Amino acid sequence: MELHDVWFVLIAVLWTGYFFLEGFDFGVGVLTKLLARNRAEKRVLINIIGPVWDGNEVWLLTAGGATFAAFPEWYATLFSGFYLPLLAILVCLIVRGVAFEYRVKRPEERWQRNWETAIFWTSLIPAFLWGVAFGNIVRGVKIDRNLEYVGSVWDLLNPYALLGGLVTLTLFTFHGTVFTALKTVGEIRERARTLALRVGLIAAVLALAFLVWTQAASGDGKSLVALVVAVAALVVALTANQAGREGWSFALSGVTIVAAVAMIFLTLFPNVMPSTLDADWSLTVTNASSSAYTLKIMTWLAAVATPLVLLYQSWTYWVFRKRIGTQHIAETAH
């Protein structure tokens, strides 16, 4: 296997880790409107992701940096062609981070309510736009002979990509709902399990339609295996949720995300951005990659840094592993 193939796999792993981890905290952010009935419950939801949300975003930064260094042509075409949706995601992530920090700076109810509304919208919008972006990457976009995107933002709003956005939004919300059931106690935990069933059924229907469409358009035997694993894991996750096995339900919803992302990258390879104008103008792991020397240096750096990142992030989840409920929220706390 060539180094550019190795880095394609590593970037796929980074995006998988990002969607697995950021997926549930996007979902919890959406639940601040869908599940929480009062201010105390909103604070419970925010507190269960408060210690980890910023660490989850490290995976996005690493995926973007790895793409820039390993596949500069891919990075340039992607970020220029998808400029507006990626800018919208970036703005949402900035506002979302500010909202988490500034919400508690003042005790006024209006102040905190406005920041909580910001958390909701800046969780929902990226959850949807990531699906739109990757839907277009898989489907292919207008890339010319100079390996440059020549379409418009309206070309990105096609039925396949919009369906992809609905899949990521509902799947992340389901992932966040079972995480909430796993991390809370009391009435909010029971309502989270009930909501998880409803959201999970919607996610299952949308995901099945999207994955079957993907398989029919550009799949092969390997991607078919990933499709079956994704759908089966989601069905079993719903069953585990109904049985009150939140840990298994969360793990299996994560398997669904992992398998779905794996299917996307399996259908892409060896392309990284297919061209709908001419297949010969597609960006591939060969014509979009950096030099062999650059990839070699990156491989050594990744071998040293990756275990450290995994270690400190695992430690964070271990420290904040206990369940919480409204009884743990002090009445006088901002």
Side-chain angles (χ1 to χ4, degrees), residues 27-72:
V28 173
V30 172
L31 293 180
T32 57
K33 289 285 188 183
L34 298 184
L35 181 66
R37 291 180 175 175
N38 51 51
R39 302 297 313 290
E41 290 187 351
K42 287 184 179 180
R43 286 157 60 185
V44 168
L45 293 176
I46 293 171
N47 284 352
I48 64 175
I49 58 173
V52 298
W53 69 267
D54 48 354
N56 294 343
E57 291 187 358
V58 170
W59 291 79
L60 173 62
L61 298 175
T62 308
T67 304
F68 171 77
F71 299 100

Side-chain angles (χ1 to χ4, degrees), residues 123-202:
S123 299
L124 185 149
I125 293 172
F128 175 74
L129 289 180
W130 279 126
V132 173
F134 273 86
N136 279 291
I137 292 174
V138 174
R139 173 180 176 269
V141 291
K142 295 179 179 178
I143 299 175
D144 65 9
R145 64 174 70 249
N146 297 317
L147 306 183
E148 295 179 357
Y149 178 74
V150 293
S152 69
V153 67
W154 303 111
D155 294 322
L156 304 178
L157 302 178
N158 54 80
Y160 177 79
L162 293 175
L163 176 59
L166 292 175
V167 169
T168 51
L169 175 58
T170 54
L171 194 56
F172 289 171
T173 304
F174 172 69
H175 198 41
T177 308
V178 294
F179 180 76
T180 300
L182 176 65
K183 292 289 292 180
T184 58
V185 295
E187 184 184 351
I188 192 172
R189 175 189 178 191
E190 298 303 318
R191 282 191 279 113
R193 286 171 52 191
T194 301
L195 182 61
L197 176 62
R198 299 171 184 171
V199 176
L201 290 174
I202 296 172

Side-chain angles (χ1 to χ4, degrees), residues 7 11 62-76 288-298 301:
W7 273 97
I11 288 172
T62 308
T67 304
F68 171 77
F71 299 100
E73 287 284 356
W74 184 12
Y75 183 92
S289 69
S290 294
S291 66
Y293 181 74
T294 299
L295 296 177
K296 183 177 180 180
I297 296 298
M298 289 176 60
L301 291 174

Side-chain angles (χ1 to χ4, degrees), residues 222-281:
K222 294 178 182 178
S223 61
L224 180 60
V225 172
L227 185 157
V228 172
V229 171
V231 174
L234 184 53
V235 171
V236 180
L238 287 167
T239 304
N241 173 73
Q242 286 301 100
R245 304 297 296 273
E246 292 99 343
W248 280 105
S249 183
F250 177 71
L252 288 164
S253 69
V255 171
T256 300
I257 293 174
V258 170
V261 177
M263 182 181 178
I264 287 174
F265 280 92
L266 286 169
T267 56
L268 268 179
F269 188 81
N271 295 323
V272 293
M273 281 189 76
S275 172
T276 57
L277 300 178
D278 190 322
D280 292 335
W281 298 345

Side-chain angles (χ1 to χ4, degrees), residues 106-122:
R106 289 170 56 178
E108 293 89 345
E109 181 177 348
R110 182 178 178 183
W111 170 272
Q112 296 188 11
R113 185 173 62 248
N114 289 340
W115 285 118
E116 288 162 0
T117 299
I119 290 173
F120 168 76
W121 285 110
T122 56

